[in-house]
Amino acid sequence: MSSPGTLILIMAIAVLAPLLAFAAARWLTVPLAIFEIGLGIVIGPDALGWAHSDDLIATLSNLGLSMMIFLAGYEIEFAAVRGDTLRRAAGAWLLTLAVALGIAFALTGAQATKSFVVGTALTSTALGAVLPMLRDSGVLHGRFGTVVMAFGAVGEFGPIIAMALLLSGRAPGAATAVLAAFAAVTAGAVCWAMRPRPPWFARVVATTLHTSGQFAVRLVMLLLAAMLGLSVAFGLDTLLGAFAAGLLTRLVLNGAAPESSAEVLGRIEAMGFGFLVPFFFIVTGIDFDLDALLGGGRPLLLLLVFLLLFLLVRGAPAWLLAPRDLSRRERVSLLLYSATCLPLVVAITTIGVDDGVLEKNEAAALVGAAMLSVLAFPLLALRALGRQRPPLEKELGEQSEAW
């Protein structure tokens, strides 16, 4: 099908997926992304064959991934996650990285590049996917939500840094120098963002917020585009720029126009979760190599192995180094949320396949395991907390029963 036809199908699925989630809420809380990915697989080339990815679709999908990472960066409240909580999160991720690389070297027969791909994929946390679930469950802004945010932020940012160092194709010294240069420029941007804005800035934000001017929204898009462009100029993954842009945007809006920042964020989220982010998940389904996964027993076995490794390699260190004030239930829930992954696994496996170091069936097994983690782990995490359903979805389920 042509790009316009595929685009219409994708947008139709983006509308259908929340309706299915609404209906399913009567029996079970299913993350919206699972419906989006699943329906993408159904219309993709390995099932009905109605939709195929091309340059336009791939570009929109990459924008969706960047927007999700951007929103994750924006949500992080460093004033809340700093100190012991952040140190524990960083320690858990470094332990995860060491164990993951060791296991990857064992699994791949000490193939260095392939081990870096598999090992880095095992260290990620889908903070961009987890945060909306935490918000809907009503725990995002409590103590437990702050801890998950800290562990998830490191689990999002750490693999991006590891990608820049291990998967860029540069020598380690050159990769470190480039990353340091990017960090220096970003630090300068942070200093600029923290400077007091003139009084007219807040007035322009408030005045244009309900007009066609939309100054704040346009400024946010400029910051995102600038940081994406900066990361490309340095030869780094654009996800690093998207994450940095989210941090900068929060500093700028909260510092210069705090009374309007929540409404501005609402409009950015509407753009992201209403269009771009669903696009990424649906195209992930369309591009998913179902034939490679079902082509033999080994890929399916690998899928189960990788799913278990997400729990053991990423989740167990989070459980071990969780803050001591968390209850046992909260520690188990933190383990499950930390082991939830997908976006960075897709990005990392794509690099591995494009570089010829990862076979398609291995990539399909990794992505398939990540998809199962998004389906199962957040639901189990809610149950571990003693919450059968998020408040909003419980209400929707009751309404669907009435219907």
Side-chain angles (χ1 to χ4, degrees), residues 215-395:
F215 170 75
V217 175
R218 297 182 187 199
L219 177 62
V220 170
M221 292 297 101
L222 173 61
L223 287 174
L224 177 57
M227 294 309 296
L228 292 178
L230 182 65
S231 60
V232 171
F234 278 93
L236 300 169
D237 196 283
T238 54
L239 299 184
L240 184 59
F243 196 86
L247 301 178
L248 287 173
T249 299
R250 185 181 187 90
L251 291 173
V252 170
L253 292 181
N254 285 2
E259 66 284 347
S260 302
S261 61
E263 189 169 356
V264 173
L265 175 61
R267 293 176 186 233
I268 302 301
E269 286 183 330
M271 186 187 310
F273 294 123
F275 174 53
L276 291 172
V277 174
F279 215 100
F280 164 72
F281 283 119
I282 295 167
V283 173
T284 295
I286 293 173
D287 290 341
F288 183 68
D289 199 335
L290 188 62
D291 285 345
L293 182 64
L294 302 179
R298 181 174 179 269
L300 290 175
L301 177 61
L302 281 176
L303 182 149
L304 296 177
V305 170
F306 286 136
L307 186 64
L308 180 61
L309 286 177
F310 287 141
L311 280 173
L312 296 179
V313 175
R314 179 67 187 119
W319 187 86
L320 288 171
L321 293 178
R324 296 177 180 178
D325 60 324
L326 294 190
S327 67
R328 184 178 181 84
R329 283 177 171 268
E330 288 173 332
R331 292 167 74 96
V332 172
S333 184
L334 176 64
L335 179 156
L336 292 163
Y337 277 127
S338 298
T340 301
C341 54
L342 181 61
L344 289 181
V345 174
V346 173
I348 292 168
T349 53
T350 299
I351 293 173
V353 172
D354 290 344
D355 290 347
V357 300
L358 199 65
E359 296 179 12
K360 288 186 176 181
N361 58 1
E362 295 169 333
L366 258 171
V367 175
M371 289 164 55
L372 286 179
S373 78
V374 174
L375 171 61
F377 294 167
L379 177 60
L380 294 174
L382 280 175
R383 291 184 180 275
L385 286 176
R387 294 169 181 258
Q388 296 298 318
R389 301 189 212 174
L392 177 59
E393 295 193 9
K394 183 176 181 181
E395 179 182 344

Side-chain angles (χ1 to χ4, degrees), residues 17-233:
L19 296 177
L20 293 177
F22 176 91
R26 178 178 178 180
W27 302 283
L28 185 67
T29 300
V30 179
L32 183 59
I34 293 302
F35 288 106
E36 293 165 346
I37 295 170
L39 290 172
I41 293 174
V42 169
I43 66 171
D46 290 345
L48 296 178
W50 292 352
H52 297 79
S53 185
D54 57 19
D55 290 342
L56 172 62
I57 301 300
T59 298
L60 290 172
S61 175
N62 290 333
L63 284 174
L65 176 56
S66 296
M67 178 60 77
M68 183 164 59
I69 301 299
F70 167 85
L71 289 170
Y74 185 96
E75 286 280 6
I76 296 173
E77 302 177 13
F78 280 103
V81 303
R82 64 186 179 183
D84 181 67
T85 300
L86 188 58
R87 285 193 294 271
R88 287 176 175 272
W93 186 81
L94 290 173
L95 177 59
T96 291
L97 179 63
V99 174
L101 290 177
I103 291 177
F105 269 88
L107 288 176
T108 63
Q111 299 178 48
T113 306
K114 188 173 183 178
S115 298
F116 290 151
V117 171
V118 174
T120 305
L122 292 175
T123 68
S124 69
T125 296
L127 181 63
V130 166
L131 283 179
M133 302 176 195
L134 290 172
R135 187 187 300 113
D136 291 344
S137 65
V139 300
L140 177 60
H141 298 293
R143 168 60 176 161
F144 176 73
T146 298
V147 173
V148 175
M149 188 183 300
F151 278 74
V154 176
E156 192 101 73
F157 189 66
I160 294 174
I161 298 298
M163 289 168 65
L165 292 174
L166 302 178
L167 305 180
S168 64
R170 298 187 179 96
T176 302
V178 169
L179 193 60
F182 177 86
V185 175
T186 302
V190 168
C191 291
W192 167 83
M194 295 180 68
R195 292 179 58 187
R197 304 266 84 79
W200 60 261
F201 186 91
R203 290 198 300 270
V204 172
V205 169
T207 302
T208 62
L209 201 53
H210 300 282
T211 70
S212 60
Q214 297 292 323
F215 170 75
V217 175
R218 297 182 187 199
L219 177 62
V220 170
M221 292 297 101
L222 173 61
L223 287 174
L224 177 57
M227 294 309 296
L228 292 178
L230 182 65
S231 60
V232 171

